[in-house]
Amino acid sequence: MNWLLILHIVALLFWTALLVYLPALVSGTVYTSSETENSLVLRQRLPRLLFTHVATPIALSSIIAGTLVFVVYHNIGIWLIIKLTLVVLLVINHALLGLLILRAESGSGKPVRRWCLASALVTGTLIIAVLWVVLSKPPFESIP
């Protein structure tokens, strides 16, 4: 059963790494006129490719493995509810990053760099919060 926990942790590491990397990649999609057409096409398609074919499947495998860990080990507590809430916020951030990639691809001239920075900061904050909740399992007071 430890393989489930290892799969969950490894998938979570890759998912959160991509959630930090993709905003940097998207913000770097401001093109100069000196770029060749091939490099321009690659830089436009790479964020979407990584998002749809790498980040999303890894996120799903992390969530499925985490759910199976919960079912197998029967770890129930207030800390788990808080962790799941933080994971839901990570999923929302993941979806918003997909919208940000679409906005950057549209080329409408709307600035996306600030949103990329915000996405990376939110991701970093959520990662730290999840790690704190899971590793310390603080004794949250139960609601009467």
Side-chain angles (χ1 to χ4, degrees):
M1 296 306 164
N2 285 336
W3 64 272
L4 276 174
L5 188 58
I6 292 170
L7 175 65
H8 174 61
I9 291 171
V10 168
L12 187 65
L13 282 173
F14 279 104
W15 179 35
T16 55
L18 282 164
L19 285 180
V20 171
Y21 174 68
L22 278 171
L25 185 64
V26 170
S27 70
T29 56
V30 177
Y31 309 109
T32 61
S33 59
S34 64
E35 284 188 295
T36 64
E37 187 174 326
N38 288 338
S39 69
L40 181 65
V41 168
L42 176 65
R43 286 183 67 190
Q44 284 177 335
R45 294 188 180 169
L46 187 59
R48 182 187 281 230
L49 178 77
L50 282 176
F51 182 81
T52 57
H53 296 296
V54 180
T56 301
I58 288 176
L60 291 173
S61 64
S62 175
I63 292 168
I64 291 168
T67 303
L68 291 175
V69 166
F70 161 70
V71 169
V72 170
Y73 291 116
H74 303 290
N75 292 337
I76 299 174
I78 297 290
W79 69 271
L80 181 66
I81 305 292
I82 293 170
K83 178 199 172 220
L84 292 176
T85 303
L86 293 170
V87 170
V88 166
L89 293 175
L90 270 174
V91 169
I92 291 169
N93 189 37
H94 181 95
L96 291 175
L97 184 58
L99 291 174
L100 188 62
I101 290 170
L102 290 176
R103 183 176 183 180
E105 283 180 355
S106 72
S108 61
K110 296 178 183 176
V112 295
R113 286 186 182 214
R114 279 183 268 153
W115 292 111
C116 290
L117 178 62
S119 175
L121 289 174
V122 167
T123 300
T125 305
L126 289 171
I127 292 168
I128 290 169
V130 167
L131 283 173
W132 179 73
V133 168
V134 170
L135 294 177
S136 68
K137 292 184 182 157
F140 296 106
E141 294 186 29
S142 59
I143 300 171

